[in-house]
Amino acid sequence: MSDYKKPGSQELRDTLTAMQFSVTQEEGTEPPFNNEYWDNNRAGIYVDIVSGEPLFSSLDKFDSHCGWPSFTQPLQNTELTEKADNRLFAARTEVRSRLADSHLGHLFADGPAPGGLRYCINSAAVRFIAVDELTEQGYQDFLILFGE
């Protein structure tokens, strides 16, 4: 993915849904409990909807009761960008993908032990790839995570 080049704004508008564009490009937020993956329990990985960059594993997903997919950590060797977000009532840490600079969600320090982190991610910012589709979609290197 080192040769990835992010599409222009108009191309993204043409390929993403309005919600996906709002979330990833305009730092929007989808409604809690009314999004595609908040209650997804299938085994697989989550990739950036814009770049396809692998981001999170279902093995690190947990139910935080917040209404959005929550993860304890990103996939190993995944580099996320973090930046201060002071737009609402409290200071938060925004999480963005490295390659496409997509807004993904926020990072909180109220997750489960041992790490105590909660990556609260918008479903509209990611695409889920089930274990049985990893090879077909070019993500076969992640099969080892699932004992495949």
Side-chain angles (χ1 to χ4, degrees):
M1 299 201 80
S2 61
D3 60 345
Y4 175 77
K5 185 174 187 306
K6 183 176 177 177
S9 182
Q10 188 57 52
E11 185 177 345
L12 289 173
R13 282 188 189 278
D14 293 343
T15 58
L16 299 175
T17 68
M19 180 61 75
Q20 290 168 335
F21 188 88
S22 171
V23 167
T24 61
Q25 306 306 301
E26 300 173 329
E27 300 173 1
T29 301
E30 66 195 357
F33 303 104
N34 187 19
N35 57 75
E36 190 170 2
Y37 302 124
W38 76 272
D39 62 349
N40 180 32
N41 295 311
R42 297 174 54 205
I45 66 170
Y46 296 81
V47 302
D48 182 341
I49 194 73
V50 174
S51 68
E53 178 182 8
L55 301 171
F56 298 97
S57 166
S58 62
L59 298 171
D60 300 311
K61 188 172 185 285
F62 70 101
D63 184 0
S64 66
H65 307 289
C66 70
W68 292 280
S70 295
F71 303 88
T72 57
Q73 63 186 1
L75 276 167
Q76 188 174 14
N77 299 322
T78 294
E79 295 179 37
L80 300 176
T81 301
E82 298 176 10
K83 76 178 202 181
D85 177 357
N86 298 307
R87 288 176 291 170
L88 290 181
F89 309 109
R92 302 180 298 172
T93 301
E94 179 189 7
V95 181
R96 302 182 75 87
S97 65
R98 184 179 59 84
L99 293 178
D101 193 35
S102 298
H103 169 76
L104 303 173
H106 291 87
L107 174 61
F108 300 97
D110 61 0
L117 297 178
R118 173 173 58 102
Y119 288 83
C120 185
I121 305 300
N122 287 281
S123 291
V126 295
R127 180 170 60 93
F128 176 73
I129 304 172
V131 170
D132 60 351
E133 299 170 357
L134 289 173
T135 299
E136 164 187 326
Q137 295 198 32
Y139 296 93
Q140 60 276 0
D141 291 351
F142 295 98
L143 286 169
I144 194 165
L145 296 174
F146 303 96
E148 302 281 327

